[in-house]
Amino acid sequence: QVVADKGIEGWDALTENAHTHTSWRVQGTLVASPGKEQSLECRAHSLTLLGSCSPSDYPLAKGRMPLDFLRGIPHLRARTNTLSALTRLRSKLSFVIHSFFQERNFHYVHTPIITTSDCEGAGELFAVTTLLGKEGMQMNVSKGEVDYSQDFFKQKAYLSVSGQLQAEALACAMGK
């Protein structure tokens, strides 16, 4: 821990930038700590602000934050203990599972995620298009008045629900 007395060099910068994740250069002397949790502390002689971190730009606090809150700041989620631990765990589990099947001569395949057909009569389909918001495009989706020849796929395209269908065909053709 750093102990800084009011009025030392850099005190004004400290009072204006005392936020979590702000970087400081501290020059001082190590002394025995009167606290029970640690044996030493740094008695600061001067403080130099190296990098300020605005709480509005980087709203991570030391305490536990609800996952709903973290959904709103996706660029910072991985900096939390919970989500970084989950990411590491998923990485290791994926590796172990893939290794298990590779050692037994199974194939890892990627089935299509975009299709132009309603596979297995899945019901509600999610359209994939580049047309929405294009300048000059006249479209009335609710009435089906869309010129798909102007779209990336040149026809209606959907997120596929055909993974099982594709996997069955590949399994029959390739074995494991």
Side-chain angles (χ1 to χ4, degrees):
Q1 125 176 335
V2 175
V3 177
D5 293 325
K6 186 175 183 179
I8 67 167
E9 181 184 337
W11 180 259
D12 291 336
L14 175 65
T15 59
E16 294 169 9
N17 296 284
H19 312 296
T20 302
H21 307 297
T22 297
S23 300
W24 297 92
R25 175 181 296 131
V26 178
Q27 293 180 327
T29 307
L30 282 179
V31 296
S33 175
K36 296 178 183 176
E37 301 292 322
Q38 63 212 18
S39 58
L40 297 172
E41 64 187 23
C42 178
R43 173 74 56 187
H45 302 301
S46 69
L47 302 167
T48 306
L49 176 64
L50 299 177
S52 184
C53 183
S54 167
S56 61
D57 293 337
Y58 298 95
L60 296 181
K62 285 186 175 184
R64 191 176 301 266
M65 289 166 282
L67 294 177
D68 287 346
F69 171 73
L70 293 172
R71 284 189 191 102
I73 50 171
H75 60 292
L76 299 177
R77 284 190 298 223
R79 293 179 181 231
T80 65
N81 289 338
T82 301
L83 291 167
S84 63
L86 282 172
T87 300
R88 288 190 297 274
L89 178 65
R90 287 180 69 175
S91 173
K92 296 296 181 192
L93 286 173
S94 292
F95 176 77
V96 169
I97 290 168
H98 285 275
S99 296
F100 174 86
F101 285 106
Q102 286 293 316
E103 290 167 2
R104 287 156 182 80
N105 296 318
F106 282 83
H107 299 286
Y108 180 64
V109 298
H110 293 276
T111 60
I113 59 171
I114 298 175
T115 184
T116 57
S117 60
D118 179 5
C119 303
E120 302 180 16
E124 184 83 23
L125 297 174
F126 295 94
V128 177
T129 181
T130 59
L131 296 177
L132 294 177
K134 272 194 175 177
E135 201 171 307
M137 278 305 301
Q138 297 294 325
M139 52 191 288
N140 188 336
V141 177
S142 62
K143 293 183 180 178
E145 300 171 0
V146 179
D147 182 7
Y148 285 102
S149 68
Q150 302 295 313
D151 204 358
F152 181 83
F153 298 105
K154 306 293 184 221
Q155 58 186 326
K156 287 184 182 181
Y158 308 96
L159 290 181
S160 178
V161 293
S162 65
Q164 179 182 349
L165 182 66
Q166 298 289 331
E168 290 169 357
L170 286 166
C172 289
M174 300 176 66
K176 295 182 180 179

